[in-house]
Amino acid sequence: MKKMHDLDVNPLTDIAICCGKTEAFAAAIFAVIDPGDEVVLFDPSYETYEGCITMAGGVPVYVALDPPQWTLCPGKLLKSFTGRTKAIVLNSPHNPTGKVFSKEELEVIAEACCRWDCLAITDEVYEHITFGDKKHISLASLQECKRELSSHPTCLKLLVLQYLVGELDGLLLQLLLHLQSETFIPPEYFEGLKKEYEFKRDFIVKVLTSIGFQIHFKPQGSIFLFAELPKNCLLSDNMFKELIKEAGVVAVPGCGFFHTKLSMEPLSEASSSYQKRYVRFAFCKSIATLAAAAQKLSDLKNATRYEHS
């Protein structure tokens, strides 16, 4: 933590071990959220968050990120805070879009947390998987942030071990769920990891573009690609079933990551129609598997089956 984020923690008193990030996130929510507390989330978002919050009796309040670049509007964010706001959940690099929040965006979030005296709960599971010149910045490392719940499970090898460590800094009222990855894996490993996933990202972008998917935003981090359906593709459940049956490719309908009805500013059906046209693909597969999927998708396109489902 000191080396990576310039944070001082006591390993004897500030660390807790949980069985994976999901349990750690749930434990953090159950520890700080009381019935009626509001929790701000960004939309689209990973579906586990809402479940934990509602189980704790909290009220999720969604702030939409603006497509196609999934930018954060400071005005929307500030309007989402009320006297009942207890915490905000930040996931960066972001699932499902692959967005890496900029320092400027993080400073807006930190300022809002300080102004409203609320916690920030951050999920930074893909902190070591960023591409190009994009760098992950932990919210806890900003001077403006006085309270934070932050999860930093290490990627791949240590995720398999299902260990996640949490740190509690009482002085700054910070509950940090973090794993000291460099204790177990040398930094060189993560450099190789980034290059490997960047290659896989570029590969899947090229494949999906070639068969008509619209890639408006190239992932800046994580292992996910959020693509829009081909222009001449009519959305239906049959399309996703056909992808599985005919090509052996599983894609997650993007509508499952959006929460229009719970949004701070509910969108009209027309303005939210884009949400139904997004699909999430994961490229955390071997090159052989990705190549096989590319061939099957190409064959499916040539058969003109899924384009007009």
Side-chain angles (χ1 to χ4, degrees):
M1 285 294 288
K2 181 65 176 178
K3 181 179 179 181
M4 293 180 62
H5 303 294
D6 195 29
L7 294 173
D8 295 310
V9 295
N10 187 330
L12 299 179
T13 60
D14 301 344
I15 294 178
I17 299 176
C18 299
C19 295
K21 183 189 72 66
T22 299
E23 183 189 57
F25 181 84
I29 289 293
F30 297 153
V32 301
I33 300 302
D34 295 317
D37 287 342
E38 293 181 356
V39 181
V40 176
L41 304 100
F42 296 109
D43 209 30
S45 70
Y46 183 48
E47 60 271 20
T48 296
Y49 303 150
E50 182 183 331
C52 292
I53 292 167
T54 55
M55 286 176 64
V59 179
V61 176
Y62 285 92
V63 177
L65 297 174
D66 295 331
Q69 300 299 310
W70 309 110
T71 52
L72 170 61
C73 173
K76 286 183 183 179
L77 176 64
L78 295 177
K79 286 173 63 177
S80 70
F81 284 81
T82 71
R84 297 183 298 276
T85 304
K86 186 68 167 290
I88 183 172
V89 175
L90 170 66
N91 172 212
S92 181
H94 186 246
N95 177 7
T97 67
K99 170 186 174 65
V100 174
F101 282 74
S102 68
K103 184 178 180 181
E104 291 73 22
E105 290 173 322
L106 295 177
E107 288 173 341
V108 170
I109 296 170
E111 180 183 353
C113 289
C114 293
R115 180 185 303 179
W116 289 94
D117 191 29
C118 71
L119 293 163
I121 305 173
T122 73
D123 178 354
E124 304 174 30
V125 62
Y126 302 111
E127 64 175 328
H128 292 295
I129 305 179
T130 57
F131 310 125
D133 59 355
K134 281 292 181 179
K135 302 296 182 183
H136 169 72
I137 301 173
S138 178
L139 191 64
S141 66
L142 299 182
Q143 293 298 320
E144 301 94 326
C145 196
K146 295 182 182 297
R147 290 179 165 191
E148 178 179 6
L149 283 171
S150 158
S151 52
H152 293 257
T154 62
C155 304
L156 296 181
K157 289 187 178 178
L158 290 182
L159 279 178
V160 175
L161 295 176
Q162 288 294 288
Y163 285 138
L164 187 137
V165 176
E167 310 153 320
L168 172 59
D169 183 341
L171 179 61
L172 297 180
L173 296 176
Q174 295 178 331
L175 293 172
L176 304 171
L177 308 173
H178 186 92
L179 182 60
Q180 289 279 49
S181 58
E182 66 270 26
T183 302
F184 304 92
I185 301 177
E188 298 77 31
Y189 171 81
F190 294 108
E191 288 302 317
L193 189 72
K194 290 171 63 174
K195 292 179 181 178
E196 176 186 347
Y197 277 104
E198 187 164 10
F199 177 83
K200 292 177 179 179
R201 178 204 63 175
D202 294 343
F203 181 85
I204 194 173
V205 166
K206 182 178 180 181
V207 168
L208 293 176
T209 301
S210 71
I211 61 175
F213 280 88
Q214 303 174 77
I215 313 297
H216 304 298
F217 181 77
K218 199 172 183 178
Q220 301 167 334
S222 83
I223 57 174
F224 302 112
L225 171 67
F226 214 37
E228 187 178 357
L229 296 173
K231 291 182 178 179
N232 59 343
C233 179
L234 300 178
L235 179 65
S236 72
D237 292 338
N238 289 334
M239 187 205 72
F240 295 101
K241 294 177 182 177
E242 193 167 2
L243 277 175
I244 297 172
K245 182 178 179 180
E246 302 294 336
V249 174
V250 179
V252 181
C255 58
F257 298 98
F258 290 101
H259 308 79
T260 303
K261 294 181 179 180
L262 298 175
S263 177
M264 177 196 64
E265 296 180 341
L267 302 175
S268 66
E269 184 174 348
S271 61
S272 64
S273 61
Y274 71 89
Q275 299 178 358
K276 299 178 182 179
R277 296 192 54 78
Y278 274 89
V279 184
R280 193 196 73 175
F281 291 91
F283 49 89
C284 49
K285 308 294 180 181
S286 68
I287 293 300
T289 297
L290 293 176
Q295 183 60 55
K296 291 181 178 180
L297 286 171
S298 179
D299 293 342
L300 186 60
K301 182 201 174 194
N302 292 335
T304 65
R305 293 176 179 174
Y306 81 89
E307 289 184 287
H308 305 286
S309 296

